[in-house]
Amino acid sequence: SAVISQKPSRDICQRGTSLTIQCQVDSQVTMMFWYRQQPGQSLTLIATANQGSEATYESGFVIDKFPISRPNLTFSTLTVSNMSPEDSSIYLCSVFQGAGGYTFGSGTRLTVV
Amino acid sequence: AQKVTQAQTEISVVEKEDVTLDCVYETRDTTYYLFWYKQPPSGELVFLIRRNSFDEQNEISGRYSWNFQKSTSSFNFTITASQVVDSAVYFCALSGSARQLTFGSGTQLTVLP
């Protein structure tokens, strides 16, 4: 299965700033996803990152707040913009590898102060 | 739309007890996949099992077993002879034709020594 390198693993950021999270996959994958896990909560899908086109966002998530790039089939970034303490969460990327299989990055633990 | 329900928010057992985590799902897809993931305190997601909708055979892997019943839309997970290291949050998840994973709210399992 694919191996995902997700960076940074954690960060503490000031409110009003932005953080970009990177996911690098060791093989080409068509579908990549970004999830948010707020403290004590389940994982919620933010968007599907599409190679060569705009990401597809889920209800409640907007491009201005969570811009996503997918320049090729092995890399994607998620930016959390104009952060507030409510953005403190774990952010995870995931790839779909066919036959129902998914691989997750190790997550980025974000704290906004 | 698809939905996964984990009605048990928290379960506490004493070591060596058996414990069953419940999962009920809803989907309109005829082909879908069901998953269980473990999330220890460190935060990473650990894949436990994937089951497709056409395979209703129960599965056993060591102390873990899974009971998939399409008739009741359930995919329950049993840990036999629980151990302290089993303490974690367990998520049930579903993926259908859209390839997006929908997670349940999770069950916090605490195994006491």
Side-chain angles (χ1 to χ4, degrees):
Chain A
S1 59
V3 175
I4 301 176
S5 174
Q6 182 172 345
K7 296 178 182 179
S9 58
R10 58 177 64 231
D11 207 340
I12 300 174
C13 300
Q14 297 291 322
R15 66 178 67 200
T17 63
S18 298
L19 175 71
T20 295
I21 302 167
Q22 300 180 1
C23 273
Q24 177 74 54
V25 190
D26 69 347
S27 59
Q28 292 187 340
V29 290
T30 304
M31 304 190 78
M32 288 184 75
F33 306 95
W34 286 96
Y35 288 86
R36 181 178 73 180
Q37 186 179 23
Q38 294 177 300
Q41 303 296 313
S42 183
L43 284 79
T44 301
L45 181 65
I46 298 172
T48 302
N50 304 309
Q51 193 265 329
S53 64
E54 242 179 47
T56 305
Y57 289 84
E58 297 300 303
S59 176
F61 297 97
V62 295
I63 188 172
D64 290 346
K65 176 67 176 177
F66 298 101
I68 289 171
S69 78
R70 181 91 194 270
N72 56 53
L73 292 176
T74 64
F75 187 77
S76 179
T77 66
L78 168 75
T79 299
V80 186
S81 303
N82 188 24
M83 288 184 285
S84 67
E86 292 70 35
D87 295 319
S88 297
S89 298
I90 298 174
Y91 293 86
L92 299 103
C93 63
S94 173
V95 300
F96 174 70
Q97 297 190 263
Y102 296 82
T103 300
F104 283 84
S106 54
T108 297
R109 193 178 294 265
L110 171 63
T111 302
V112 183
V113 297
Chain B
Q2 51 191 36
K3 184 179 178 182
V4 177
T5 301
Q6 293 179 256
Q8 303 151 310
T9 306
E10 296 182 21
I11 299 177
S12 184
V13 299
V14 177
E15 205 169 20
K16 298 184 183 177
E17 287 185 354
D18 298 348
V19 58
T20 295
L21 309 182
D22 297 333
C23 173
V24 174
Y25 63 92
E26 296 175 29
T27 180
R28 293 178 183 171
D29 292 325
T30 54
T31 301
Y32 52 90
Y33 291 87
L34 294 161
F35 302 79
W36 276 96
Y37 289 89
K38 175 182 179 180
Q39 188 176 47
S42 54
E44 79 273 21
L45 275 177
V46 178
F47 167 78
L48 296 178
I49 190 172
R50 173 180 71 240
R51 193 44 122 209
N52 76 54
S53 52
F54 298 107
D55 183 1
E56 288 193 69
Q57 281 193 346
N58 292 331
E59 182 158 338
I60 298 174
S61 176
R63 296 184 297 107
Y64 296 168
S65 63
W66 291 269
N67 183 294
F68 176 28
Q69 291 196 347
K70 255 176 130 170
S71 60
T72 56
S73 297
S74 64
F75 187 45
N76 297 337
F77 172 33
T78 298
I79 301 175
T80 303
S82 59
Q83 301 175 0
V84 173
V85 294
D86 294 328
S87 297
V89 180
Y90 291 86
F91 290 101
C92 181
L94 166 70
S95 115
S97 58
R99 305 296 189 217
Q100 299 166 347
L101 266 180
T102 298
F103 285 83
S105 55
T107 298
Q108 170 71 61
L109 174 64
T110 302
V111 182
L112 302 169

